[in-house]
PDB file of all heavy atoms in Angstrom:
ATOM      1  N   LEU A  43      17.617  -4.118 -79.102  1.00  0.00           N
ATOM      2  CA  LEU A  43      17.669  -4.195 -77.634  1.00  0.00           C
ATOM      3  C   LEU A  43      17.816  -2.809 -77.027  1.00  0.00           C
ATOM      4  O   LEU A  43      17.160  -2.474 -76.034  1.00  0.00           O
ATOM      5  CB  LEU A  43      18.841  -5.095 -77.200  1.00  0.00           C
ATOM      6  CG  LEU A  43      19.039  -5.253 -75.681  1.00  0.00           C
ATOM      7  CD1 LEU A  43      17.796  -5.877 -75.047  1.00  0.00           C
ATOM      8  CD2 LEU A  43      20.278  -6.107 -75.393  1.00  0.00           C
ATOM      9  N   GLN A  80      21.626   2.942  -3.898  1.00  0.00           N
ATOM     10  CA  GLN A  80      22.842   3.638  -4.317  1.00  0.00           C
ATOM     11  C   GLN A  80      23.512   4.376  -3.155  1.00  0.00           C
ATOM     12  O   GLN A  80      24.641   4.833  -3.283  1.00  0.00           O
ATOM     13  CB  GLN A  80      22.524   4.639  -5.430  1.00  0.00           C
ATOM     14  CG  GLN A  80      22.293   4.004  -6.791  1.00  0.00           C
ATOM     15  CD  GLN A  80      23.560   3.420  -7.375  1.00  0.00           C
ATOM     16  OE1 GLN A  80      23.926   2.279  -7.095  1.00  0.00           O
ATOM     17  NE2 GLN A  80      24.258   4.206  -8.174  1.00  0.00           N
ATOM     18  N   PRO A 118       7.249   8.061  -2.415  1.00  0.00           N
ATOM     19  CA  PRO A 118       6.615   7.640  -1.159  1.00  0.00           C
ATOM     20  C   PRO A 118       5.100   7.576  -1.243  1.00  0.00           C
ATOM     21  O   PRO A 118       4.461   6.918  -0.438  1.00  0.00           O
ATOM     22  CB  PRO A 118       7.071   8.719  -0.161  1.00  0.00           C
ATOM     23  CG  PRO A 118       7.396   9.909  -1.004  1.00  0.00           C
ATOM     24  CD  PRO A 118       7.909   9.358  -2.303  1.00  0.00           C
ATOM     25  N   ILE A 144      19.372   7.156 -32.308  1.00  0.00           N
ATOM     26  CA  ILE A 144      19.878   6.744 -30.997  1.00  0.00           C
ATOM     27  C   ILE A 144      21.241   6.087 -31.172  1.00  0.00           C
ATOM     28  O   ILE A 144      21.377   5.074 -31.864  1.00  0.00           O
ATOM     29  CB  ILE A 144      18.894   5.787 -30.304  1.00  0.00           C
ATOM     30  CG1 ILE A 144      17.523   6.456 -30.158  1.00  0.00           C
ATOM     31  CG2 ILE A 144      19.430   5.376 -28.941  1.00  0.00           C
ATOM     32  CD1 ILE A 144      16.458   5.544 -29.595  1.00  0.00           C
ATOM     33  N   VAL A 150      24.395   3.741 -15.413  1.00  0.00           N
ATOM     34  CA  VAL A 150      25.321   3.682 -14.281  1.00  0.00           C
ATOM     35  C   VAL A 150      24.498   3.256 -13.074  1.00  0.00           C
ATOM     36  O   VAL A 150      23.679   4.026 -12.558  1.00  0.00           O
ATOM     37  CB  VAL A 150      26.001   5.040 -14.041  1.00  0.00           C
ATOM     38  CG1 VAL A 150      27.066   4.903 -12.966  1.00  0.00           C
ATOM     39  CG2 VAL A 150      26.611   5.570 -15.328  1.00  0.00           C
ATOM     40  N   GLN A 201       0.494 -17.773  12.405  1.00  0.00           N
ATOM     41  CA  GLN A 201       1.882 -18.147  12.163  1.00  0.00           C
ATOM     42  C   GLN A 201       2.556 -17.184  11.184  1.00  0.00           C
ATOM     43  O   GLN A 201       2.000 -16.870  10.128  1.00  0.00           O
ATOM     44  CB  GLN A 201       1.952 -19.568  11.585  1.00  0.00           C
ATOM     45  CG  GLN A 201       1.343 -20.644  12.479  1.00  0.00           C
ATOM     46  CD  GLN A 201       2.133 -20.862  13.753  1.00  0.00           C
ATOM     47  OE1 GLN A 201       3.360 -20.766  13.746  1.00  0.00           O
ATOM     48  NE2 GLN A 201       1.435 -21.153  14.845  1.00  0.00           N
ATOM     49  N   VAL A 293     -29.454  -9.307  29.651  1.00  0.00           N
ATOM     50  CA  VAL A 293     -30.418  -9.822  30.620  1.00  0.00           C
ATOM     51  C   VAL A 293     -31.333  -8.672  31.029  1.00  0.00           C
ATOM     52  O   VAL A 293     -30.882  -7.698  31.658  1.00  0.00           O
ATOM     53  CB  VAL A 293     -29.708 -10.407  31.852  1.00  0.00           C
ATOM     54  CG1 VAL A 293     -30.746 -10.954  32.844  1.00  0.00           C
ATOM     55  CG2 VAL A 293     -28.734 -11.495  31.442  1.00  0.00           C
ATOM     56  N   TRP A 304     -32.577  -1.857  23.204  1.00  0.00           N
ATOM     57  CA  TRP A 304     -31.312  -2.589  23.289  1.00  0.00           C
ATOM     58  C   TRP A 304     -31.270  -3.738  22.279  1.00  0.00           C
ATOM     59  O   TRP A 304     -30.272  -3.909  21.572  1.00  0.00           O
ATOM     60  CB  TRP A 304     -31.146  -3.156  24.710  1.00  0.00           C
ATOM     61  CG  TRP A 304     -30.786  -2.130  25.719  1.00  0.00           C
ATOM     62  CD1 TRP A 304     -31.603  -1.543  26.634  1.00  0.00           C
ATOM     63  CD2 TRP A 304     -29.490  -1.554  25.911  1.00  0.00           C
ATOM     64  NE1 TRP A 304     -30.910  -0.643  27.391  1.00  0.00           N
ATOM     65  CE2 TRP A 304     -29.607  -0.631  26.973  1.00  0.00           C
ATOM     66  CE3 TRP A 304     -28.256  -1.729  25.304  1.00  0.00           C
ATOM     67  CZ2 TRP A 304     -28.525   0.114  27.438  1.00  0.00           C
ATOM     68  CZ3 TRP A 304     -27.175  -0.999  25.761  1.00  0.00           C
ATOM     69  CH2 TRP A 304     -27.312  -0.081  26.810  1.00  0.00           C
ATOM     70  N   VAL A 435     -16.268   8.232  23.728  1.00  0.00           N
ATOM     71  CA  VAL A 435     -17.630   7.692  23.782  1.00  0.00           C
ATOM     72  C   VAL A 435     -18.659   8.783  23.574  1.00  0.00           C
ATOM     73  O   VAL A 435     -19.690   8.588  22.920  1.00  0.00           O
ATOM     74  CB  VAL A 435     -17.854   6.962  25.119  1.00  0.00           C
ATOM     75  CG1 VAL A 435     -19.332   6.606  25.299  1.00  0.00           C
ATOM     76  CG2 VAL A 435     -17.006   5.702  25.178  1.00  0.00           C
ATOM     77  N   GLU A 449     -27.259  24.494  24.832  1.00  0.00           N
ATOM     78  CA  GLU A 449     -28.275  23.492  25.123  1.00  0.00           C
ATOM     79  C   GLU A 449     -28.289  22.454  24.006  1.00  0.00           C
ATOM     80  O   GLU A 449     -28.296  22.792  22.817  1.00  0.00           O
ATOM     81  CB  GLU A 449     -29.642  24.166  25.226  1.00  0.00           C
ATOM     82  CG  GLU A 449     -30.716  23.317  25.883  1.00  0.00           C
ATOM     83  CD  GLU A 449     -30.512  23.162  27.394  1.00  0.00           C
ATOM     84  OE1 GLU A 449     -29.679  23.911  27.968  1.00  0.00           O
ATOM     85  OE2 GLU A 449     -31.170  22.296  27.985  1.00  0.00           O
ATOM     86  N   TRP A 452     -31.225  17.375  21.449  1.00  0.00           N
ATOM     87  CA  TRP A 452     -31.981  16.130  21.583  1.00  0.00           C
ATOM     88  C   TRP A 452     -33.102  16.260  22.622  1.00  0.00           C
ATOM     89  O   TRP A 452     -33.194  17.235  23.368  1.00  0.00           O
ATOM     90  CB  TRP A 452     -31.045  14.969  21.924  1.00  0.00           C
ATOM     91  CG  TRP A 452     -30.077  15.222  23.054  1.00  0.00           C
ATOM     92  CD1 TRP A 452     -30.368  15.528  24.350  1.00  0.00           C
ATOM     93  CD2 TRP A 452     -28.649  15.210  22.964  1.00  0.00           C
ATOM     94  NE1 TRP A 452     -29.239  15.678  25.081  1.00  0.00           N
ATOM     95  CE2 TRP A 452     -28.153  15.481  24.261  1.00  0.00           C
ATOM     96  CE3 TRP A 452     -27.734  14.960  21.942  1.00  0.00           C
ATOM     97  CZ2 TRP A 452     -26.791  15.532  24.551  1.00  0.00           C
ATOM     98  CZ3 TRP A 452     -26.380  14.999  22.217  1.00  0.00           C
ATOM     99  CH2 TRP A 452     -25.907  15.291  23.500  1.00  0.00           C
ATOM    100  N   ARG A 483     -12.649   1.547  34.650  1.00  0.00           N
ATOM    101  CA  ARG A 483     -11.807   0.381  34.374  1.00  0.00           C
ATOM    102  C   ARG A 483     -11.606  -0.363  35.688  1.00  0.00           C
ATOM    103  O   ARG A 483     -11.214   0.248  36.690  1.00  0.00           O
ATOM    104  CB  ARG A 483     -10.453   0.803  33.803  1.00  0.00           C
ATOM    105  CG  ARG A 483     -10.534   1.475  32.428  1.00  0.00           C
ATOM    106  CD  ARG A 483      -9.185   2.064  32.046  1.00  0.00           C
ATOM    107  NE  ARG A 483      -9.251   2.759  30.760  1.00  0.00           N
ATOM    108  CZ  ARG A 483      -8.796   2.262  29.621  1.00  0.00           C
ATOM    109  NH1 ARG A 483      -8.236   1.058  29.597  1.00  0.00           N
ATOM    110  NH2 ARG A 483      -8.897   2.949  28.506  1.00  0.00           N
ATOM    111  N   MET A 497     -33.638   5.857  27.756  1.00  0.00           N
ATOM    112  CA  MET A 497     -33.025   6.111  26.460  1.00  0.00           C
ATOM    113  C   MET A 497     -33.975   5.744  25.324  1.00  0.00           C
ATOM    114  O   MET A 497     -33.860   6.237  24.196  1.00  0.00           O
ATOM    115  CB  MET A 497     -31.704   5.348  26.324  1.00  0.00           C
ATOM    116  CG  MET A 497     -30.903   5.717  25.082  1.00  0.00           C
ATOM    117  SD  MET A 497     -29.332   4.868  24.975  1.00  0.00           S
ATOM    118  CE  MET A 497     -28.442   5.615  26.320  1.00  0.00           C
ATOM    119  N   VAL A 555       5.512  15.628  20.349  1.00  0.00           N
ATOM    120  CA  VAL A 555       5.840  14.209  20.224  1.00  0.00           C
ATOM    121  C   VAL A 555       7.139  14.074  19.439  1.00  0.00           C
ATOM    122  O   VAL A 555       7.555  14.991  18.732  1.00  0.00           O
ATOM    123  CB  VAL A 555       4.712  13.425  19.519  1.00  0.00           C
ATOM    124  CG1 VAL A 555       3.430  13.510  20.302  1.00  0.00           C
ATOM    125  CG2 VAL A 555       4.506  13.921  18.087  1.00  0.00           C
ATOM    126  N   SER A 586       9.515   5.430   2.196  1.00  0.00           N
ATOM    127  CA  SER A 586       8.684   4.315   2.630  1.00  0.00           C
ATOM    128  C   SER A 586       9.305   3.665   3.867  1.00  0.00           C
ATOM    129  O   SER A 586      10.504   3.736   4.092  1.00  0.00           O
ATOM    130  CB  SER A 586       8.562   3.279   1.512  1.00  0.00           C
ATOM    131  OG  SER A 586       7.950   3.832   0.377  1.00  0.00           O
ATOM    132  N   LEU A 684      13.596  10.608 -79.944  1.00  0.00           N
ATOM    133  CA  LEU A 684      14.739  10.656 -80.863  1.00  0.00           C
ATOM    134  C   LEU A 684      15.615   9.428 -80.715  1.00  0.00           C
ATOM    135  O   LEU A 684      16.047   8.831 -81.722  1.00  0.00           O
ATOM    136  CB  LEU A 684      15.544  11.933 -80.621  1.00  0.00           C
ATOM    137  CG  LEU A 684      14.874  13.255 -81.038  1.00  0.00           C
ATOM    138  CD1 LEU A 684      15.756  14.447 -80.676  1.00  0.00           C
ATOM    139  CD2 LEU A 684      14.573  13.248 -82.535  1.00  0.00           C
TER     140      LEU A 684
END
Side-chain angles (χ1 to χ4, degrees):
L43 179 61
Q80 284 291 86
I144 302 175
V150 186
Q201 301 292 325
V293 181
W304 285 102
V435 170
E449 196 72 13
W452 49 60
R483 295 171 182 257
M497 188 178 291
V555 299
S586 299
L684 290 177

